[in-house]
Amino acid sequence: MERQARRGGPITIGGFSAKTVEDGADDIAEQDPAPQLRRRLGRADLRAVPEARRALREMLGQWGKQGQSDVAELLTSELVTNAIVHTDHDAVLTATVGPHGLRVEVRDFVARRPRLRVPVADEGTNGRGLLLVQSLADAWGVRPHGVGKAVWFELEAEAA
C-alpha cells in the first residue's frame, strides 16, 4: 500500500462510531453503524460524477457537516472521473464517516496504478486530478484490491 499524508504521520479513520449505553453492572457497548455511501459506477457513465457528488453531499449533511463538503465532493468527483475515464470497467465508490473524519475509496478492476503527472499547459484541464487529491486530502493512497486497485483519500472531521 502506498500512503501519502499531507502532514506526516499516519491518520486512523474508524469504521464505526461507538455509542456506549450504561445500564448497570452488565454494560454493553452498542455500536451504531457509521454513515456510509456505496455506489456502483457504470462503465463510461459520466452521469455517475454529479450523482456521486450529490449522494456524498446528502450523506455529509445527515452527518451534521453540511456546508463543509466542498473539498470532499471535489476529491470524490476526481476519483470517480478517473475510474470512469481511465478504465473500461465498472467501479465501486465507498464513502464512510468515522469518529475522526471521512474516508472515500473508489475501487476499479484494472491493476494499472494511477500516476501523478505534472500537467502540461497545452493539455487543458487533464492530468490534474491526483494533484488535487494530493494537495487537499489529509491522506491518500492506492492499494491493490483483488483484480484491481482502490484509490482512496481521507479528510479529518474538521475538513469533511
Side-chain angles (χ1 to χ4, degrees), residues 4-83:
Q4 299 181 13
R6 184 169 56 182
R7 289 188 282 270
I11 297 171
T12 303
I13 303 292
F16 292 94
S17 63
K19 178 180 175 185
T20 303
V21 178
E22 295 182 27
D23 287 332
D26 294 322
D27 292 342
I28 298 174
E30 293 180 6
Q31 289 189 343
D32 294 332
Q36 185 176 60
L37 167 68
R38 188 166 172 86
R39 291 274 191 278
R40 185 159 203 86
L41 310 169
R43 183 177 79 184
D45 182 8
L46 292 177
R47 294 173 303 176
V49 177
E51 290 171 4
R53 288 178 73 116
R54 179 198 49 76
L56 184 69
R57 185 180 320 115
E58 185 176 295
M59 182 187 81
L60 292 176
Q62 292 172 358
W63 179 46
K65 297 295 181 184
Q66 194 168 11
Q68 296 181 348
S69 65
D70 293 343
V71 170
E73 288 179 48
L74 173 64
L75 299 183
T76 299
S77 65
E78 293 298 336
L79 295 189
V80 168
T81 300
N82 284 349

Side-chain angles (χ1 to χ4, degrees), residues 76-121:
T76 299
S77 65
E78 293 298 336
L79 295 189
V80 168
T81 300
N82 284 349
I84 291 171
V85 170
H86 298 293
T87 70
D88 192 27
H89 297 278
D90 291 352
V92 177
L93 164 67
T94 305
T96 306
V97 174
H100 301 290
L102 171 71
R103 179 182 174 97
V104 174
E105 178 175 290
V106 176
R107 178 182 175 212
D108 64 45
F109 302 95
V110 174
R112 183 181 66 248
R113 298 172 71 82
R115 58 184 168 82
L116 280 171
R117 298 185 330 198
V118 176
V120 178

